[in-house]
Amino acid sequence: MVEVRAMTVKRIEMALHVMELAARHKIRVSYQSLDESEPRYWARRNPREIQIRPTKNTGYYVSALHEIGHNLCTQKDVWNEAVSLERRGKVGLTQLLNALEDPRQEKELLSRCHFEGAKNVLEKLTSWAIDLSVQNGFKADEPKNFSYCLNILAYIDMCGYSVPSIGSAEDLLVSSGKLRHDLETALIKLKACNNTQDVLDLCIELMGQYSNQNQQNQGKGVSESSDDGSDDKSDES
């Protein structure tokens, strides 16, 4: 009974935290029906609005935090520019932008989001998704995985997330082989990005080097070609 009560309190705290953040930043929250099996998360900045699922577990909570992060920290006009560029031939640009913007905006969100469990749940979902990739044969030294390696490096180095299946940032760099120099250079540039426009500029630069990359889903949702700024699909029970 005590354990059930503790879980209920935790769920209430997570739900209240989402409501508090939304109210503080004047974000309108729409809730997707739990009757729909396919999760549909998205964020818009004008007007400020997100769609999430009711915060009944950790997975729904972390997805809500992630969308709030996009709403507060991702520049919609820059995202729309990336969508336009992709439609004009830069195939894969929005996917790459989402992969590199995700850790940047989560780091910025955590600097604003004062809640003891926020980093823990974001870290947990990131680690869980990367673990799945490792189990499915992810190899850091394959050029097609360059952007995914950079995504993981950013989560470990910039956000301070623990990913046991990868180890430290140095461990990942060692396993990346000949890609190490380019990864280190790109990580330095990503850490210097202050906003979404900076990240987009870096993505365009990187696409010139690794135009045939095959970005894997890092777990919090890969954005579709949407004018909304984000249309993420992620869930965890």
Side-chain angles (χ1 to χ4, degrees):
M1 176 66 71
V2 173
E3 182 178 350
V4 172
R5 185 177 300 153
M7 290 174 61
T8 301
V9 170
K10 182 180 178 182
R11 290 175 183 174
I12 292 173
E13 288 178 345
M14 290 188 296
L16 288 174
H17 185 226
V18 170
M19 293 170 64
E20 177 191 350
L21 286 172
R24 183 189 308 163
H25 297 287
K26 297 180 174 61
I27 300 171
R28 178 180 177 183
V29 180
S30 298
Y31 291 96
Q32 180 190 3
S33 172
L34 291 176
D35 293 335
E36 300 179 34
S37 59
E38 180 73 13
R40 291 182 292 105
Y41 300 95
W42 49 254
R44 300 188 179 112
R45 294 193 71 179
N46 187 24
R48 288 193 181 279
E49 185 176 8
I50 61 173
Q51 175 170 285
I52 60 176
R53 288 162 82 81
T55 313
K56 72 167 190 173
N57 61 34
T58 302
Y60 296 169
Y61 171 59
V62 74
S63 296
L65 286 181
H66 187 73
E67 294 310 320
I68 289 173
H70 275 307
N71 190 284
L72 297 177
C73 309
T74 297
Q75 297 166 275
K76 180 180 183 295
D77 57 336
V78 176
W79 179 265
N80 288 343
E81 179 186 352
V83 171
S84 178
L85 287 170
E86 175 143 1
R87 288 171 177 165
R88 298 202 302 269
K90 287 192 176 296
V91 179
L93 179 60
T94 55
Q95 197 171 35
L96 178 58
L97 176 59
N98 190 76
L100 302 191
E101 173 68 1
D102 273 0
R104 188 207 68 79
Q105 65 94 347
E106 282 191 20
K107 180 182 178 183
E108 183 178 343
L109 175 67
L110 288 172
S111 70
R112 304 185 185 189
C113 176
H114 303 294
F115 184 67
E116 183 179 356
K119 179 180 177 181
N120 291 337
V121 294
L122 287 166
E123 177 182 67
K124 176 184 175 183
L125 186 58
T126 299
S127 181
W128 170 80
I130 295 171
D131 288 350
L132 284 182
S133 295
V134 171
Q135 293 169 18
N136 290 331
F138 163 72
K139 301 295 182 183
D141 59 353
E142 295 181 359
K144 69 177 183 179
N145 291 329
F146 178 86
S147 60
Y148 190 48
C149 282
L150 183 54
N151 170 272
I152 297 172
L153 278 172
Y155 275 124
I156 295 174
D157 189 272
M158 292 170 56
C159 299
Y161 292 173
S162 173
V163 184
S165 61
I166 295 293
S168 67
E170 177 62 21
D171 291 333
L172 181 56
L173 287 169
V174 168
S175 65
S176 68
K178 295 180 180 180
L179 299 180
R180 175 171 184 147
H181 174 73
D182 287 345
L183 282 169
E184 287 181 314
T185 301
L187 179 62
I188 290 171
K189 292 180 178 180
L190 180 57
K191 290 169 70 173
C193 292
N194 295 314
N195 51 48
T196 313
Q197 182 64 61
D198 291 345
V199 178
L200 175 59
D201 292 341
L202 176 59
C203 288
I204 292 172
E205 177 185 338
L206 291 176
M207 286 193 71
Q209 295 177 270
Y210 294 93
S211 58
N212 294 320
Q213 58 196 311
N214 179 26
Q215 170 66 29
Q216 300 185 43
N217 186 343
Q218 75 278 13
K220 300 199 183 69
V222 175
S223 293
E224 307 292 340
S225 296
S226 165
D227 290 340
D228 291 341
S230 174
D231 187 359
D232 291 354
K233 299 177 180 179
S234 58
D235 235 340
E236 184 190 51
S237 297

